[in-house]
């Protein structure tokens, strides 16, 4: 989607003219400072203005093979430019995150990047799991791009790749005994990487020692042909991310030297003696890091989608409220506001929560390096439920925003289907959401039992202490304090009930793990309720402490936060009636409050999404461009379809004409 | 996905061996009789066994242009075969519905059919809106396939295509004054159709007479070139349905003879005199028909998705419940059952509701032909909310089923992303869901006021009479009667409250239509609650009346229906606490009931989906095939990707090697 010299749509102009605050305040809020805004914009333009990175044929019009080739071309150009900037001292490592991430990266690549795992997983894994000699040897080669790597995790526990140590030759022999033991999914594995870190079941001296990482050459560095004993290919098309070149990998008696096992933690000596790692909690740190970073990706997906849908809803006119007046901007329908504005509020909630958890991570990471693991379980349990809840909210949000654009949201030219494809993937990768929620639930049940025993608890579960003492919520009075108390009451109430149900089942003779399984629907609700309470407390605390910005800007922030809080009570008000001091009569009060907030936010909606400051070339949407020339842009995008290069397609002669003739 | 001589997966075999009933009973239930099952299977194989209709390269690997060409090729073959069967007397018109519909059709075409509107809209529109002379002239040409048509509805009210009558030449002049007046979306319009029925704003004798249908030649019948004055092309790629060749259409002073206005209803005489239609309620009949038929399409999408996810969940093993036992079939996780089984129950609910509403439609259609319009508003309001609720449930259901398959559900080889693309489109077309819900709400508010006035009401809103008399629900006792009463109480409670809120707003000086808009979130909830109550009453009544099948089969039916009923109380239990006699303590009772039902259905889950009788060639899923050889099939599908035809892709030489070298 290229910038054009079109005049701005009048309805959008009007919205901008009556915004009550300066949108740049929003931009500062999300980027952190005016300097950071400047730097981000400059970096974005450095890539977006490069004519080599412009796509004239939409990627979605191309074949799967062409998509891969085009994505690899883009990746090589982007990385060369990253290097250039880094060598000139104008950027650091964070530029990788920026060019691979959900904001700029997903615009440059459109549908995935075949080189991202090399930087996001391969290099970090060598740094985290290699000895200093291994790091020296492999990192030099990997950082220069001399070798291109990927990272092949385990998928199953039972049947998987084996690495059997042969002390005679001092080699590991890799095998994939069955199809289910093939690696399946790693990005770039299909045709791009020539090396991989493979997590395999280690066997030595006749014993299985569990999974360990090995670095393995897959392809000849010069010819790129797969080595003998390596079975490799790509896994086919997917809902999205078709440029990532996800691959499969099997081994037939493939030998690697002993030194290729990454031995920072556990080791295998020359004679085959296995030495166990002292501490494997460090790997938790990496998982936590990845999940925190995903929150930022999700934020950008949602910001893009909401920008598109809000602008389109201002430009699009359809139907009448009053039959004597002209057609209505669809944003004036309260149902449309209800579909749009809670997601604006969610963007702010994600941003604030991300910053808070990132700060926690930095502290915990520092403690880990001093062998202090005390805060890790709390942070781990928080990042599990946050990743699950925020990815589910974002995916559902993007989809509701897409549907709010009617038929036009179904077109790839809106970019909404593509954003959805990327966002929904996050629900599954880096820990499937249900699995993550149940991990958090395990922590919550444990914490609840500790609370019952009067033990002190970490801050994020401190509310369980109050609940365990039997302290009930104050009577309902519809202020923020009351809402926060209610969120806590719902969380502690669901946790209490689920714990009682597990215990009841155990008491009735059900084995404890099966009792857990039988209670898992409620347990998953516990984790969601806890997560929602955490987000609500975090946003309220942050706004209270913050002194940034003008009064007008702070008013908007307060409205959005209150919308988030009220919206999620009403979406789940059964639990609030069940566990908090909220009464039936309060439902209507909250409903009116919701409608009032939608009405207040209506005026500033365009200003707020403008403040997200997403460049048209990053938004890639005919519906959402800054100038609001929706129909011109839809038409221009349609004309890029190769089908429109000719008035008559070959299939007329080949199929349709003979078919018509046969009927005559 | 072709049939293979692979042995059936052992876990699936075991499930089948312990099913408590014969799955064929399910098949009879859905098809209607053993004879109909036989006939459907025969028809399916007639198409599926044709080697011309096999795809060796997955459609999703192809470029947008190739997808169109392949889809048109398929359409011509399918239609020739349909003709053949009809001429030999072995099939009637219903075969079109079958070969274009969501079951067989969406397997033959995979991603849409460029000729479907010719049969589904163009021909019916001529029949419904043309005079007998027009029918004679156009239908012969259309039915033989001499001309290929499409149907271009209006999108906006304000700015659209105009047809201005010129009495001098006895022609209409068609114009699209702005880009927003272009037709956008009709299937087959891009490059396939040479004719279209276009709905345009009629101007005659200087006056605008509203929208009317015109039949318009778009392309030269021999060369297929667009005629002068016709601007035409295709709209580009979409989330799904990329084979449908959706197009855009604009006019520049394009002239057509007066006879090309379809004049069964309104007319324009030679001198330009306009004669208004006597009754336009007949067009309501068509809308109602289409929306009823969509329920069946949705049923098939959901049946496919749930078949895939259930079979995969039996084959797939991951994680442990008890750490001393082997890996668990994921279907044994209660959370997984919770993600799967409610959608099985929904399939039965849709089927029963469809049959009921279809019978209503047949009656009303008969009455319409006798100028009896009494029952039309009730049927119209029902089909509006049913289309909205069932399409939303189906789309969300397919997506949850896709996510329940983890990463593998993200692959197109699962077929789940493609099914989702087709199902979610139904939320938008043939009436956007929110618009439809508010149409039902208007009927409900009107009915409520009639109830308050003591007027009798049609059957589907009869419960409002009870509520208006102030009759409250009996005390809660957890039986089916109690649940049904509660659904009615929730529906009438939300309708009462919303009506009061509208009246309060009007009382405070808000104009009535704006008061309606301000209350629209609650109004949309009314329509959903009414629809849910209608479905619940319909399924309970049908099961009660039915005497079909064995006791074991009826037990399964009862379990599924109860699951549907309990599931939707728990999903929305705030409203039940607010409006029905349900108490907080009852929530846990229902939760236990839900868990009990999941456990009961677990045993028969595979048998039930087997009973849906969806052929592997129709399911098109590596995860869901009858034999459960998931990994072999995933691998075989991956190997069909053209990227896997060569071990080294051209991009290595073109991009990656130069990039690596530049880094050394």
């Amino acid at each position: 989607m290229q910038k054009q010299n079109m005049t701005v749509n009048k309805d959008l102009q009007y919205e901008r003219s009556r915004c009550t605050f300066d949108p740049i305040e929003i931009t500062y809020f999300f980027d952190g400072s005016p300097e950071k805004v400047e730097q981000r914009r400059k970096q974005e333009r450095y890539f977006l203005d490069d004519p080599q990175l412009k796509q004239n044929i939409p990627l979605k019009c191309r074949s799967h093979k062409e998509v891969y080739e085009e994505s690899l071309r883009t990746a090589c150009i982007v990385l060369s430019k990253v290097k250039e900037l880094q060598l000139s001292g104008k950027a650091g490592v964070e530029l990788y995150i920026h060019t691979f991430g959900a904001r700029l990266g997903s615009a440059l690549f459109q549908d995935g990047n075949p080189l991202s795992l090399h930087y996001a997983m391969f290099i970090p894994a060598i740094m985290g799991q290699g000895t200093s000699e291994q790091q020296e040897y492999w990192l030099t080669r990997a950082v220069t791009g001399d070798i291109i790597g990927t990272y092949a995790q385990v998928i199953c526990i039972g049947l998987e790749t084996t690495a059997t140590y042969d002390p005679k030759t001092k080699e590991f022999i890799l095998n994939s005994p069955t199809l289910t033991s093939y690696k399946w999914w790693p990005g770039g594995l299909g045709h791009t990487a020539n090396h991989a870190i493979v997590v395999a079941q280690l066997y030595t001296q006749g014993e299985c020692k569990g999974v360990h990482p090995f670095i393995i050459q897959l392809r000849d560095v010069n010819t790129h042909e797969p080595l003998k004993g390596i079975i490799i290919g790509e896994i086919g098309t997917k809902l999205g991310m078709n440029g990532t070149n996800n691959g499969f990998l099997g081994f037939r008696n493939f030998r690697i030297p002993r030194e290729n096992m990454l031995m920072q933690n556990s080791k295998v000596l020359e004679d085959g003696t296995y030495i166990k790692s002292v501490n494997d909690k460090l790997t938790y740190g990496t998982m936590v890091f990845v999940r925190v970073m995903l929150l930022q990706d999700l934020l950008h997906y949602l910001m893009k989608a909401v920008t598109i849908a809000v602008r389109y809803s201002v430009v699009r006119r359809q139907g009448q409220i009053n039959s004597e007046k002209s057609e209505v901007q669809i944003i004036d329908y309260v149902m449309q506001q209800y579909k749009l504005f809670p997601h604006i509020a969610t963007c702010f909630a994600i941003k604030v929560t991300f910053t808070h958890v990132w700060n926690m991570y930095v502290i915990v990471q520092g403690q880990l390096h001093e062998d202090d693991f005390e805060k890790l379980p709390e942070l781990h349990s928080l990042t599990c439920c946050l990743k699950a809840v925020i990815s589910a909210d974002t995916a559902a949000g993007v989809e509701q925003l897409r549907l709010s654009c009617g038929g036009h949201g179904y077109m790839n030219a809106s970019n909404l289907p593509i954003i959805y494809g990327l966002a929904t993937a996050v629900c599954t990768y880096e820990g499937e959401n249900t699995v993550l929620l149940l991990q958090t639930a395990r922590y919550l049940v444990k914490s609840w039992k500790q609370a019952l025993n009067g033990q002190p608890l970490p801050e994020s579960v401190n509310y369980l202490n109050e609940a365990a003492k039997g302290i009930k919520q104050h009577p309902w009075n519809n202020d923020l304090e009351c809402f926060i108390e209610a969120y806590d009451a719902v969380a502690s109430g669901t946790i209490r009930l689920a714990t009682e149900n597990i215990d009841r089942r155990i008491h009735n003779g059900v084995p404890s793990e099966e009792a857990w399984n039988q209670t898992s629907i409620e347990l998953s609700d516990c984790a969601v309720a806890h997560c929602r309470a955490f987000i609500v407390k975090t946003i309220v605390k942050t706004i209270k402490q913050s002194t940034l910005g003008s009064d007008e800007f702070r008013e908007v922030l307060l409205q959005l936060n209150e919308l988030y809080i009220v919206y999620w009570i009403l979406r789940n008000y059964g639990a609030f009636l069940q566990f908090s001091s909220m009464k039936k009569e309060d439902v209507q009060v909250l409903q009116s409050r919701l409608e009032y907030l939608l009405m207040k936010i209506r005026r500033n909606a365009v200003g707020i999404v403008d403040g997200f400051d997403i460049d048209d070339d990053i938004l890639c949407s005919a519906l959402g461009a800054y100038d609001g020339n929706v129909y011109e842009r839809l038409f221009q995008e349609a004309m890029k379809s190769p089908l429109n290069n000719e008035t008559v397609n070959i299939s007329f002669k080949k199929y349709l004409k003979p078919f018509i003739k046969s009927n005559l």
Side-chain angles (χ1 to χ4, degrees), chain A residues 291 295 377-378 380-393 426-446 461 463 494-495 498 502 516 519-535:
Chain A
R291 285 177 196 150
L295 302 184
E378 182 192 17
H380 177 252
S381 88
L382 266 179
T383 52
C384 283
C385 66
L386 283 169
K387 184 274 190 185
V389 169
I390 292 180
S391 64
D393 285 356
V426 186
C427 296
T428 309
Y429 63 59
E430 299 300 338
E432 192 276 332
N433 279 356
T434 300
V435 173
L436 293 184
L437 289 176
L438 292 176
Q439 287 193 21
T440 299
R442 210 170 272 278
Y443 178 81
L444 295 173
V445 169
K446 203 173 134 194
V461 282
Y463 64 96
T494 48
I495 294 165
I502 296 172
W516 177 271
T519 316
S520 57
I521 300 171
E522 288 167 82
L523 286 165
S524 138
D525 288 343
C526 293
V528 174
H530 167 72
C531 186
R532 204 65 81 189
F534 177 78
I535 294 173

Side-chain angles (χ1 to χ4, degrees), chain A residues 233-466:
Chain A
E234 73 101 30
I235 64 170
T237 63
K238 292 151 293 163
L239 196 159
M241 306 188 84
N242 283 295
T244 46
N245 194 226
N246 300 88
F248 61 80
L249 173 62
F251 299 97
R252 292 226 176 99
N253 289 319
F254 188 76
R255 286 176 172 264
I256 56 167
R258 186 184 66 93
E259 291 77 20
N260 282 25
M261 174 174 161
L262 292 175
M263 298 208 209
Q264 196 189 89
N265 300 315
S266 304
K267 290 176 184 39
V268 170
L269 304 184
E270 286 199 7
D271 66 350
T273 306
Y274 176 74
I275 297 172
K276 203 178 175 315
S277 162
V278 186
N279 199 325
D280 54 2
K281 283 208 175 166
L282 280 169
T283 47
Y284 265 92
T286 316
M287 284 200 303
V288 167
F289 171 76
V290 172
R291 285 177 196 150
V292 174
M293 294 310 289
L294 285 181
L295 302 184
Q296 209 174 22
D297 273 354
L298 292 163
L299 171 61
H300 287 133
Y301 294 135
L302 194 58
M303 285 168 93
K304 285 181 182 181
V306 87
T307 301
I308 294 165
V310 165
R311 288 184 182 153
Y312 179 68
S313 299
V314 163
V315 173
R316 174 76 169 178
R317 288 175 174 272
Q318 190 164 27
Q320 287 148 307
I321 292 174
N322 180 329
S323 58
E324 282 157 31
K325 291 196 183 155
S326 64
E327 280 202 297
V328 175
Q329 291 169 278
I330 59 174
I331 201 170
D332 283 325
Y333 290 110
V334 172
M335 269 303 284
Q336 187 74 1
Q337 297 169 8
Y338 182 64
K339 291 176 191 176
L340 302 174
F341 300 166
H343 306 300
I344 301 185
T346 302
C347 291
F348 286 82
I350 300 177
K351 169 66 188 174
V352 166
T353 308
F354 164 75
T355 308
H356 182 84
V357 179
W358 175 254
N359 291 337
M360 280 179 81
Y361 168 75
V362 172
I363 293 167
V364 172
Q365 186 64 13
Q367 292 169 341
L368 289 186
H369 285 293
E370 288 162 9
D371 284 337
D372 173 2
F373 299 101
E374 197 198 318
K375 290 202 166 165
L376 192 57
E378 182 192 17
L379 181 62
H380 177 252
S381 88
L382 266 179
T383 52
C384 283
C385 66
L386 283 169
K387 184 274 190 185
V389 169
I390 292 180
S391 64
D393 285 356
T394 299
V398 170
E399 195 57 354
Q400 187 174 41
L401 292 162
R402 180 184 71 70
L403 286 163
S404 81
C405 295
H408 287 172
Y410 196 70
M411 298 191 61
N412 286 327
S414 74
N415 203 21
L416 292 167
I418 297 151
I419 296 172
Y420 181 67
L422 297 168
T424 188
V426 186
C427 296
T428 309
Y429 63 59
E430 299 300 338
E432 192 276 332
N433 279 356
T434 300
V435 173
L436 293 184
L437 289 176
L438 292 176
Q439 287 193 21
T440 299
R442 210 170 272 278
Y443 178 81
L444 295 173
V445 169
K446 203 173 134 194
S447 299
W448 173 248
K449 297 201 161 169
Q450 288 172 338
L452 286 178
N453 291 334
Q455 288 170 258
L457 292 173
E459 198 189 336
S460 69
V461 282
N462 199 19
Y463 64 96
L464 294 178
N465 274 327
E466 306 281 302

Side-chain angles (χ1 to χ4, degrees), chain A residues 19 44 78 93 215 343:
Chain A
C19 179
E44 284 171 359
V78 168
V93 211
I215 192 161
H343 306 300

Side-chain angles (χ1 to χ4, degrees), chain A residues 5-22:
Chain A
N5 291 322
M6 292 195 267
T7 50
V8 173
N9 171 284
K10 287 219 173 71
D11 288 325
L12 269 178
Q13 261 178 342
Y14 175 70
E15 297 294 335
R16 284 168 185 147
S17 73
R18 67 189 195 123
C19 179
T20 62
F21 67 98
D22 185 349

Side-chain angles (χ1 to χ4, degrees), chain A residues 143-184:
Chain A
V143 170
T144 57
D146 183 9
I147 61 172
I148 303 288
T150 182
Y151 188 87
Q153 250 302 358
V154 235
I155 306 281
C156 303
I157 297 184
L159 298 159
E160 73 286 278
T161 308
T162 57
T164 309
Y165 186 64
D166 176 359
K168 271 175 267 162
T169 59
K170 288 167 196 153
E171 289 172 321
F172 290 103
I173 312 161
L174 283 116
N175 270 300
S176 322
T178 63
L179 255 189
T180 50
S181 66
Y182 272 49
K183 300 292 172 185
W184 194 273

